[in-house]
Every structure is written in C-alpha cells, then in structure tokens.
C-alpha cells in the first residue's frame, strides 16, 4: 500500500528522491524552507542541473502525487535530506538537521518512520535527532521508527545511483532498521 512521504529538503538528493517516490505511486510532500524554491518546483521548474530531473519532476507533478510546501505536514514517513555543510572549524553544521527534526515533532504519530538521509557524524541520529523527536512525547524505537541512511550519490547521475547503489541503513533498533 502506498505511503505518504514527507521529504524535507529539496536539494540535489531530496528533490530526485521525492520525484522517484511520487512517480512510483506514493503521495509525496516535498518541503523546503525557501518559499521561492517551493513555488518554482511546484510549477515544474528545477534549480539544479541533473540529467532527467525536469522530466521526472513534471511526471511527478502530473501524477498528482507530488506537492510542494514550505511547512511539514503529517505523513507516514519523514525523510530528512537537508545540507550539513562543514564549518571553518571542520565540524558538520547540524542546524538544518535540528530545524528539520523540530518541524516534524508536531506531526509525529505512532508507527511513523523518520529517516535521516543527510551525511552526519556518528551518533547524530541517536543522540541529537531522537532527543529532538522525543519532544513529541512518543518514544523513538518503541512508538515510531528512526533510521539513518546517508546519501551516496554523485550529481549528474543521481537517478541511476538512487536505484542501483547499495544503501547502508542503520536503525535505532533492529525493527527500525527493518522498517527503513
């Protein structure tokens, strides 16, 4: 049965991911904090160079399975695909992950799956993201699933790599990993 998926971050990984799920029949809400970007993507305009992206985006929109928003809404699955730039001090800037996690909290329900797809330091999912999500009063690994599956794609070949690359998936519990 198709699930409703909320993809947070419509960059070079998030947007192709959202499009692929939508074209496969899932209801997808693509969320980004840049209102102009949300509006442009909703009209079928792309902001990144990626072979086949414009065609895939238009197919996703025409299927009526992809909608874009500036705010998170309830879903079955939340995929966090936001940037984690490296600071001058050589530390990952996790502020985007933190903001994404906080935006999910009001919409988190029992049985949901939250996947952190951004590349982050070890322990970020369990220590930071789960701490933020616990503000929902639900218990990670018990009431909802949490997993980390860092993106590993090269720009220019994203669609092929999203489909064919092996994925590393780590879950907070074995059940979380299985759900992811």
């Amino acid at each position: 049965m198709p699930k409703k998926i909320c993809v947070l971050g419509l960059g070079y990984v998030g947007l192709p991911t959202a499009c692929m799920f939508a074209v496969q029949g899932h209801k997808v809400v693509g969320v980004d904090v840049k209102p102009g970007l949300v509006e442009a993507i909703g009209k079928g305009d792309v902001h990144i160079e990626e072979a086949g992206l414009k065609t895939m985006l238009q197919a996703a929109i025409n299927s009526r399975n992809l909608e874009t928003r500036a705010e998170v809404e309830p879903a079955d699955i939340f995929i966090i695909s936001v940037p984690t730039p490296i600071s001058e001090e050589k530390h990952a800037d996790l502020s985007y992950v933190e903001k994404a996690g906080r935006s999910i909290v009001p919409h988190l329900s029992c049985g949901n799956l939250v996947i952190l797809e951004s590349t982050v330091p070890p322990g970020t999912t369990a220590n930071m993201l789960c701490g933020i999500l616990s503000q929902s009063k639900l218990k990670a690994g018990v009431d909802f699933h949490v997993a980390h599956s860092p993106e590993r794609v090269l720009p220019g070949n994203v669609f092929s790599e999203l489909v064919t690359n092996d994925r590393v998936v780590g879950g907070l519990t074995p059940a979380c990993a299985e759900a992811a």
Side-chain angles (χ1 to χ4, degrees):
M1 177 175 175
K3 303 282 186 182
K4 182 176 180 185
I5 302 169
C6 183
V7 178
L8 291 82
L10 296 176
Y12 80 97
V13 173
L15 181 57
T17 298
C19 291
M20 288 187 67
F21 278 119
V23 169
Q24 292 300 312
H26 295 278
K27 294 293 182 186
V28 179
V29 175
V31 177
D32 204 283
V33 296
K34 300 173 189 159
L37 179 63
V38 170
E39 185 178 331
I41 292 171
K43 293 179 180 175
D45 296 329
V46 295
H47 62 289
I48 50 179
E49 287 294 321
E50 183 61 47
L53 180 57
K54 187 167 183 80
T55 301
M56 183 73 81
L57 174 59
Q58 290 171 345
I61 291 169
N62 290 340
S63 74
R64 298 186 182 263
N65 286 332
L66 176 63
E67 296 180 1
T68 56
R69 303 271 186 269
E71 306 235 350
V72 175
E73 61 183 57
D76 301 301
I77 301 168
F78 298 92
I79 300 174
I80 300 173
S81 186
V82 296
T84 52
I86 301 299
S87 71
E88 289 182 21
E89 297 81 29
K90 306 293 185 220
H91 298 286
D93 176 356
L94 301 177
S95 63
Y96 297 102
V97 174
E98 181 180 347
K99 288 174 189 169
R102 290 190 192 291
S103 71
I104 292 170
V105 169
H107 307 287
L108 199 57
S109 297
C110 286
N112 282 167
L113 169 62
V114 179
I115 301 172
L116 178 56
E117 194 172 36
S118 303
T119 303
V120 296
T124 301
T125 305
N127 299 328
M128 186 186 90
L129 183 60
C130 286
I132 292 167
L133 297 174
S134 71
Q135 294 171 7
S136 69
K137 306 297 184 211
L138 298 174
K139 187 165 175 57
V142 175
D143 298 319
F144 64 94
H145 302 290
V146 181
H148 181 221
S149 181
E151 55 85 5
R152 291 283 166 233
V153 296
L154 294 173
N157 198 28
V158 170
F159 288 115
S160 174
E161 293 190 8
L162 283 173
V163 173
T164 62
N165 282 2
D166 290 334
R167 290 284 187 126
V168 174
V169 177
L172 191 62
T173 65
C176 291
E178 184 64 32

